Amino acid sequence: MWRKISLLFHTIKFLKPTQLIGRFIHFLPRSIREVTIHPEISTETSYQGFITKQSCTKDLDCFTFLSETNCLSSTGWDHPEVSKLWRYNLHYFDFINSSCGEEGSRVQKELDLIHQWIDENPFGKGTAWEPYPSSLRIINWIKWHWRTKSLTDKALISLWNQVRYLGDRPEYHLLGNHLFINAKALIFAGVFFKGLETQKYLNQGLEILNQELNEQFLEDGAHFELSPMYHALGMEDLLDLFAICHANIPTFPRGEVAQKIQLGLTWLQLMSYAHGELAHFNDCANGIAPSLGQLESFAFDLGIQVNKIEGESTTKLLKSSGFFVSECKEFKLIADVGEIGPTYLPGHAHADTLSFELALHGERVIVNSGTSLYGLSPERLRQRSTSAHSTVEINGENSSEVWSGFRVARRAEPMDLNWNQEGVDFTLACSHTGYQRFSKDIIHRRTWTKQGRKLTIQDRVLGKIRSAKARYFLHPDITLREEKQQLSMLKNGKILATITAEDGQKMMDIKQVKSTYHPNFGLSVPSICLEVALPESQEIILNVTF
């Protein structure tokens, strides 16, 4: 009981008044009613060069989302035994803008499905009408119509009602990427329809955009929720808005959006790997957001210059987002030395402070274990926990109090960050206070040092503790060969690196534990986690030679 009260208190105290007021309003009855007419469609904008969505269905009945397949004819639109996130994906209607052929029969089938959705999802009822899926569906229907010119009066009336329902109550109780996609949908609708009421929704969307642009997209380019996946989705949102607004909406912040796109694509380059995978920090999975290549190509088509850093040696501290990246031909390290996310919006945060990922010779070696599901479950909690990341866990507890599906109470705060660089070599050190909720003297300090072809990770724990354990999750493509107290890490029989552990005086045993890796939603791949228990000195040094 007291534990739950504590979690609630230390979660709510960080919220903005806007969120608290918005949550109260969110549960109030609505006065808005369904209408039976729609405004005239504007002919001034009809952009068709958007990023193509992934195909998830062949017959528009059986859909595969999150590595799970369900058939609409069997489960319907809102079956309670189907996960909420899967139902969200169904209601997004991304699939009507997928890579499937444009033949007339396909378009007619998609229109039939739109009509079916209208008939089976009454105004304001169920998952379908929640603001987030509504926003994405509004955008997708508009994109589809610009390409096919096939929305009927019935569909346009429904679309207009969806816009009105969304505009009546955007997600101020959540803020973040939810509110931003609400604004994007309102702007799309404001460009698509004509009339005074339409202008109201356009202005509403533009007002949110102007309020949130600098709040959500940081000075170093990152989206403020610090998830590479949500960052890539945010880049697509900005590119879409730039595509439809920059030429015909005088109040659209054209220059600011273009700059955010440029910085954001550079940030995404740093947080991605050579084969297109994203770095797994916070909620992040591959296969959801557009690829870096797709985003860069879209930006090029829109006349936005992107700074390419491929092939360059670079070492950067991304101060606003709190990531350190060092990359050269045979080496890439990404370390999390920042906050877990926005103070008032940590819903996609993990307890991953001072975790890191490592790629050698173009191959991912040490990773965080990823994200395969949302919702409320022990596995969701485990994947957000410190023990699921390549960092140190103290006393069997999380460095930040992640709880429920998207909640965080007390959080780890980074401190005493310093780094220096000499050529491609560097030393990076940072501490955090996440365990001071148990005792004020407990501090974890991690130091990464690269010298030539050797990386050293030194962990020190200060203060009185019961136990501490360092974990290093290996990419599932990596196999191990053990020789005494040294491990060789191999891929396809080729040695990428050797790894040893010591306490500063003597070699230590590295325990190999069966684990799982989650590169995509709905996917769990067997992998190996290396574990080292901190000795009495509360210091260990991991040496990686490559």
Side-chain angles (χ1 to χ4, degrees):
M1 178 64 178
W2 289 112
R3 166 71 172 166
K4 188 64 177 288
I5 292 173
S6 173
L7 289 173
L8 284 170
F9 172 76
H10 289 291
T11 300
I12 293 171
K13 72 179 185 181
F14 290 104
L15 298 181
K16 287 188 171 185
T18 302
Q19 290 170 289
L20 298 173
I21 296 169
R23 185 161 292 275
F24 174 75
I25 294 173
H26 178 71
F27 290 104
L28 293 177
R30 293 188 186 227
S31 59
I32 190 168
R33 295 293 180 265
E34 188 174 10
V35 297
T36 57
I37 58 173
H38 68 82
E40 185 181 349
I41 296 174
S42 173
T43 57
E44 296 178 5
T45 302
S46 185
Y47 189 81
Q48 299 179 35
F50 301 107
I51 292 174
T52 301
K53 299 298 182 180
Q54 293 184 7
S55 178
C56 60
T57 177
K58 292 181 179 179
D59 59 4
L60 296 175
D61 179 44
C62 293
F63 297 86
T64 300
F65 305 120
L66 317 174
S67 302
E68 177 185 343
T69 301
N70 291 299
C71 295
L72 188 59
S73 56
S74 301
T75 61
W77 294 96
D78 210 9
H79 199 290
E81 293 184 6
V82 177
S83 74
K84 185 87 173 259
L85 185 58
W86 197 98
R87 285 178 278 153
Y88 261 36
N89 276 267
L90 180 63
H91 289 290
Y92 294 163
F93 269 78
D94 277 350
F95 48 83
I96 61 173
N97 293 309
S98 72
S99 56
C100 294
E102 298 300 320
E103 66 275 9
S105 61
R106 173 76 181 193
V107 171
Q108 183 59 50
K109 289 177 181 177
E110 290 170 343
L111 180 59
D112 290 343
L113 190 62
I114 288 172
H115 285 172
Q116 181 184 344
W117 182 92
I118 296 167
D119 293 338
E120 297 177 3
N121 292 276
F123 180 81
K125 303 294 184 183
T127 300
W129 289 82
E130 291 183 20
Y132 191 79
S134 291
S135 297
L136 288 167
R137 185 174 56 254
I138 288 166
I139 295 163
N140 277 314
W141 284 18
I142 291 173
K143 287 181 178 180
W144 185 81
H145 182 79
W146 279 338
R147 195 179 78 249
T148 67
K149 305 297 186 291
S150 296
L151 285 181
T152 61
D153 275 347
K154 176 178 179 176
L156 290 168
I157 291 169
S158 174
L159 178 63
W160 179 241
N161 276 301
Q162 293 171 54
V163 173
R164 294 173 59 252
Y165 195 79
L166 172 65
D168 180 61
R169 203 166 290 181
E171 294 175 278
Y172 283 103
H173 63 300
L174 295 178
L175 300 178
N177 68 300
H178 277 244
L179 183 62
F180 201 87
I181 202 68
N182 298 163
K184 178 182 174 181
L186 293 170
I187 294 170
F188 260 69
V191 170
F192 184 74
F193 290 111
K194 297 170 68 174
L196 291 177
E197 190 175 1
T198 296
Q199 187 66 40
K200 180 185 76 171
Y201 295 124
L202 175 61
N203 292 340
Q204 184 182 14
L206 289 170
E207 182 180 359
I208 295 171
L209 172 65
N210 283 306
Q211 290 172 351
E212 296 295 315
L213 189 59
N214 287 325
E215 175 79 3
Q216 296 203 25
F217 294 92
L218 305 176
E219 290 184 4
D220 62 16
H223 184 263
F224 77 154
E225 294 192 60
L226 307 182
S227 155
M229 179 184 77
Y230 282 103
H231 175 88
L233 291 169
M235 287 295 101
E236 182 184 22
D237 292 337
L238 291 181
L239 286 162
D240 281 355
L241 289 170
F242 190 89
I244 68 169
C245 290
H246 81 279
N248 59 352
I249 305 294
T251 56
F252 180 73
R254 182 180 187 275
E256 294 91 330
V257 169
Q259 183 183 44
K260 295 297 184 184
I261 291 169
Q262 289 174 318
L263 290 170
L265 290 179
T266 298
W267 188 90
L268 190 59
Q269 289 179 57
L270 292 168
M271 299 297 289
S272 303
Y273 296 98
H275 38 58
E277 281 193 312
L278 299 171
H280 290 310
F281 294 92
N282 296 315
D283 278 342
C284 184
N286 298 303
I288 299 296
S291 69
L292 174 61
Q294 288 176 305
L295 294 167
E296 289 177 333
S297 178
F298 193 6
F300 178 82
D301 291 343
L302 295 174
I304 298 174
Q305 185 68 36
V306 179
N307 178 32
K308 300 287 287 184
I309 59 175
E310 289 180 2
E312 297 181 9
S313 295
T314 183
T315 297
K316 290 187 177 182
L317 176 63
L318 301 165
K319 292 183 180 180
S320 301
S321 54
F323 289 100
F324 175 89
V325 181
S326 181
E327 181 173 9
C328 57
K329 183 178 180 181
E330 71 283 346
F331 174 92
K332 182 164 187 172
L333 174 85
I334 306 176
D336 182 355
V337 291
E339 306 284 348
I340 63 168
T343 302
Y344 61 89
L345 191 67
H348 293 295
H350 289 199
D352 60 357
T353 304
L354 301 190
S355 67
F356 73 102
E357 294 199 335
L358 177 66
L360 298 172
H361 310 290
E363 304 293 344
R364 297 185 69 184
V365 176
I366 295 176
V367 297
N368 286 320
S369 63
T371 304
S372 70
L373 76 172
Y374 283 170
L376 304 174
S377 70
E379 177 61 12
R380 167 67 174 161
L381 283 176
R382 188 196 69 80
Q383 290 181 17
R384 297 180 74 203
S385 71
T386 301
S387 64
H389 298 83
S390 292
T391 187
V392 172
E393 178 193 50
I394 297 174
N395 293 345
E397 299 281 353
N398 290 321
S399 55
S400 293
E401 280 187 299
V402 293
W403 65 285
S404 188
F406 301 93
R407 302 284 183 265
V408 185
R410 288 169 288 189
R411 302 96 191 267
E413 298 284 345
M415 57 183 285
D416 296 335
L417 171 64
N418 59 74
W419 71 288
N420 57 71
Q421 179 187 2
E422 185 175 339
V424 295
D425 295 336
F426 63 84
T427 297
L428 168 72
C430 189
S431 305
H432 77 81
T433 63
Y435 293 100
Q436 290 188 351
R437 65 182 189 270
F438 301 107
S439 176
K440 291 296 183 182
D441 62 346
I442 300 178
I443 293 176
H444 170 213
R445 185 163 185 80
R446 171 166 273 184
T447 303
W448 297 263
T449 303
K450 179 181 179 291
Q451 291 182 316
R453 302 182 71 84
K454 183 177 180 180
L455 174 69
T456 299
I457 302 104
Q458 178 189 44
D459 286 297
R460 296 184 64 202
V461 175
L462 306 177
K464 187 175 181 180
I465 63 170
R466 299 191 308 273
S467 64
K469 185 177 292 185
R471 293 183 176 88
Y472 314 92
F473 287 85
L474 301 185
H475 192 277
D477 290 345
I478 300 300
T479 58
L480 294 172
R481 187 168 69 204
E482 187 171 2
E483 299 173 6
K484 297 182 179 180
Q485 290 176 303
Q486 175 178 286
L487 295 175
S488 296
M489 296 187 288
L490 303 87
K491 181 174 181 181
N492 298 326
K494 177 185 176 182
I495 296 178
L496 300 177
T498 59
I499 187 167
T500 60
E502 58 180 282
D503 65 0
Q505 296 180 341
K506 64 180 185 300
M507 302 290 286
M508 299 180 64
D509 291 329
I510 303 176
K511 186 178 180 181
Q512 300 178 40
V513 179
K514 290 183 179 180
S515 186
T516 51
Y517 176 64
H518 311 281
N520 300 74
F521 276 112
L523 191 61
S524 181
V525 182
S527 65
I528 296 172
C529 175
L530 304 180
E531 293 185 355
V532 183
L534 269 70
E536 291 184 2
S537 64
Q538 296 181 187
E539 177 181 1
I540 61 165
I541 300 171
L542 192 80
N543 300 302
V544 181
T545 305
F546 55 96

